[in-house]
Amino acid sequence: MQNGNTKGHVSKRALEGMAVANPMRDALFTALGYIYDPVHPAINMGTAQNDLMQSELNDKINASLEFQVSDLSYGEPQGSQRLRQTMGSLLTRHLKPTIPVDADHVFVATGAGAAIYYLALALTDPGDSIMVISPYYGSFDGDVCMGSQIDLIPLYLNNNSDKDWDLSVDVDTLEETWKEHVEAKGKKVKALIITNPHNPLGRCFSQESIETLLRYASKHNLHVISDEVYALSTFGHLLPNNNMEHDPFLSVLSLPNLDQLIDPSLVHVVYGLSKDFGVNGLRVGFVIDQHNPTLRNVLPGFIVFSYTSTLTDRLLCNMFSDKEWVDIFIEINRRRLAEAYTYASNVLKLIGVDHISADAGQFMVVDLRAAMTQMNGRPPTFEDEKELMTTLLQHGVYMVPGHAFYIREPGFFRITFTVDKGRLKKGIDILAQRLSLK
């Protein structure tokens, strides 16, 4: 006989993890049956997936697939020496760090989410908190909090919700958040997550903003986790009529004055291949740490639970050791991102929908407040966002509502524009029809 109070005989930790607010997870779970429908899949404009380079990837991956008998062994938990050296070389060439990235600085995990999770476990204790620059990528709720007994504190850069897409930093706002959560509520904050380029905004932080955030972290003795998974997906400098003279992205590793801003042993970078190289399904991410030997000694003990397969390891080594192919891929991808972003912007303009200007990534945040107000006869609510998402799914397109990214005002959605041009146009047409814009 089962006791009805056991809640399925799962642990308290598991129940607490599932109870963590996770609107991004909720949106995805609602959408899964639609976007993976075997007969009529919905157009997926909700997942950050780049479909623009699939032909190039298909050719290169098929040419790079290889099996050796040694691949039947487990391999190294943190990735092979060859893969870590290959990625160190790639990051050194393209992120231009002040110190070259060596193999010993690189740790391989099954995706950037896993890398974030293991870093969080290594840097915090149960009951601690991590601040995250907000709005933020909603899956951090699961990546950081699931089973860890850590919570996230949103750190908005200013007190005005109308400026959620302004990445300039108001120091007074940062300190007010610290006083509210640490001094008043007694939270123990151990780290700060910065996503640059930003998700969901698709914009790069200025050097001034990065330096201000590092000084803030230094003042409060916080580790900084810089999530740079869109580092090579910048395109703002390639847009017509842009006012950018060069690539807008700046890695925290490339700051020449890093040691004057913060103890470098507190700074850690997360990178991955899903976004810049369009291989989401291979599940490969990296922790890059150059200044904390204690952390580097600890990480393999965590990552042992996240082995990358030896076949994937070899495939990636073969692909990314071809420096000429990598450099050409990045250049072509940036041009296609700029073209796709321009096309999506123009189609949205035709239906009268504004968006937050972006210069990196695979998505944009669209402003549907006016259209939703006109449709409902009142300003939108977060419940209206959920209802619109469900309606769009039922009519064949998945887009993610702004509350999943902790945008503070209802009426915004993040849409991915790196899909086939015809499907992109159809998805936006469905949006227009549901909002009675055409």
Side-chain angles (χ1 to χ4, degrees):
M1 179 181 294
Q2 290 187 342
N3 186 330
N5 294 323
T6 60
K7 294 187 180 297
H9 300 282
V10 299
S11 69
K12 180 181 178 182
R13 179 175 58 247
L15 294 173
E16 289 176 349
M18 289 305 297
V20 171
N22 193 338
M24 187 81 170
R25 176 190 62 199
D26 297 342
L28 178 61
F29 283 7
T30 299
L32 284 176
Y34 293 92
I35 59 180
Y36 291 113
D37 185 289
V39 180
H40 300 292
I43 300 169
N44 188 355
M45 294 172 64
T47 304
Q49 177 169 311
N50 184 357
D51 296 340
L52 303 177
M53 300 292 291
Q54 289 185 341
S55 177
E56 287 80 0
L57 285 166
N58 181 68
D59 293 343
K60 187 62 176 177
I61 289 173
N62 280 314
S64 301
L65 286 169
E66 179 188 4
F67 169 76
Q68 295 185 9
V69 172
S70 60
D71 295 325
L72 296 175
S73 300
Y74 283 110
E76 299 178 70
Q78 67 266 40
S80 69
Q81 175 78 12
R82 182 187 173 201
L83 177 57
R84 289 181 287 119
Q85 191 64 60
T86 298
M87 291 310 304
S89 174
L90 185 155
L91 295 171
T92 297
R93 293 200 323 276
H94 290 282
L95 298 190
K96 299 178 173 57
T98 56
I99 300 172
V101 179
D102 187 70
D104 292 339
H105 302 153
V106 179
F107 299 84
V108 187
T110 49
I116 290 274
Y117 180 69
Y118 293 126
L119 261 180
L121 291 181
L123 300 177
T124 64
D125 295 310
D128 287 343
S129 301
I130 293 179
M131 285 184 166
V132 55
I133 300 301
S134 301
Y136 67 83
Y137 169 55
S139 287
F140 282 154
D141 292 332
D143 292 346
V144 174
C145 303
M146 187 67 184
S148 67
Q149 297 175 302
I150 304 165
D151 70 336
L152 291 177
I153 297 174
L155 181 62
Y156 291 93
L157 301 180
N158 57 77
N159 281 323
N160 188 347
S161 63
D162 287 337
K163 294 185 177 181
D164 272 356
W165 33 91
D166 182 354
L167 296 184
S168 58
V169 183
D170 176 54
V171 176
D172 290 339
T173 299
L174 303 186
E175 293 300 341
E176 287 171 14
T177 303
W178 184 267
K179 291 177 182 177
E180 176 188 352
H181 291 277
V182 178
E183 297 178 12
K185 297 180 180 179
K187 294 283 189 177
K188 296 180 180 179
V189 181
K190 294 291 183 67
L192 170 66
I193 297 176
I194 304 170
T195 303
N196 184 34
H198 191 279
N199 182 2
L201 300 180
R203 306 176 80 169
C204 296
F205 283 87
S206 68
Q207 181 170 345
E208 179 183 4
S209 291
I210 295 171
E211 292 183 353
T212 300
L213 291 169
L214 290 175
R215 289 192 189 97
Y216 174 76
S218 179
K219 176 181 178 180
H220 298 294
N221 197 36
L222 303 179
H223 287 273
V224 172
I225 300 172
S226 184
D227 179 349
E228 301 183 0
V229 297
Y230 296 97
L232 306 182
S233 295
T234 49
F235 56 81
H237 55 305
L238 301 177
L239 295 174
N241 303 317
N242 76 85
N243 57 2
M244 294 182 182
E245 297 180 359
H246 50 74
D247 181 354
F249 174 73
L250 179 71
S251 172
V252 70
L253 297 176
S254 67
L255 291 171
N257 59 336
L258 181 64
D259 60 352
Q260 300 170 35
L261 301 167
I262 190 171
D263 177 354
S265 70
L266 294 173
V267 177
H268 326 284
V269 169
V270 169
Y271 186 66
L273 299 178
S274 296
K275 309 309 178 184
D276 287 342
F277 292 96
V279 290
N280 299 54
L282 295 188
R283 309 307 309 131
V284 184
F286 307 93
V287 176
I288 297 93
D289 186 279
Q290 293 187 308
H291 302 282
N292 194 322
T294 303
L295 177 64
R296 294 201 298 270
N297 286 333
V298 166
L299 279 174
F302 286 103
I303 289 177
V304 72
F305 299 105
S306 185
Y307 265 90
T308 299
S309 79
T310 52
L311 288 176
T312 300
D313 191 304
R314 185 177 301 282
L315 167 64
L316 296 174
C317 288
N318 291 343
M319 289 177 64
F320 291 96
S321 60
D322 186 344
K323 296 180 182 179
E324 181 180 4
W325 178 83
V326 169
D327 295 349
I328 291 172
F329 183 98
I330 292 170
E331 180 182 352
I332 294 173
N333 184 48
R334 282 176 165 153
R335 289 204 306 267
R336 291 183 185 173
L337 287 170
E339 293 167 0
Y341 172 79
T342 301
Y343 177 77
S345 299
N346 290 336
V347 174
L348 288 167
K349 185 177 181 179
L350 288 175
I351 66 170
V353 169
D354 292 328
H355 69 277
I356 310 304
S357 62
D359 54 39
Q362 299 151 13
F363 38 73
M364 58 176 67
V365 172
V366 295
D367 183 354
L368 304 181
R369 289 177 297 178
M372 293 177 73
T373 297
Q374 182 175 352
M375 179 175 64
N376 296 324
R378 55 171 173 73
T381 65
F382 291 126
E383 282 302 314
D384 292 332
E385 284 188 354
K386 294 177 184 179
E387 290 178 11
L388 178 57
M389 186 197 78
T390 301
T391 298
L392 291 171
L393 279 170
Q394 292 169 346
H395 287 83
V397 63
Y398 173 45
M399 299 178 181
V400 186
H403 73 268
F405 304 98
Y406 298 90
I407 296 175
R408 287 177 287 183
E409 185 172 353
F412 294 89
F413 273 67
R414 191 195 76 172
I415 66 171
T416 299
F417 57 80
T418 50
V419 298
D420 171 79
K421 187 176 289 186
R423 291 171 65 78
L424 175 64
K425 175 66 164 56
K426 183 177 179 181
I428 294 176
D429 284 345
I430 292 172
L431 174 66
Q433 292 163 4
R434 292 306 100 202
L435 293 172
S436 301
L437 295 175
K438 59 185 298 184

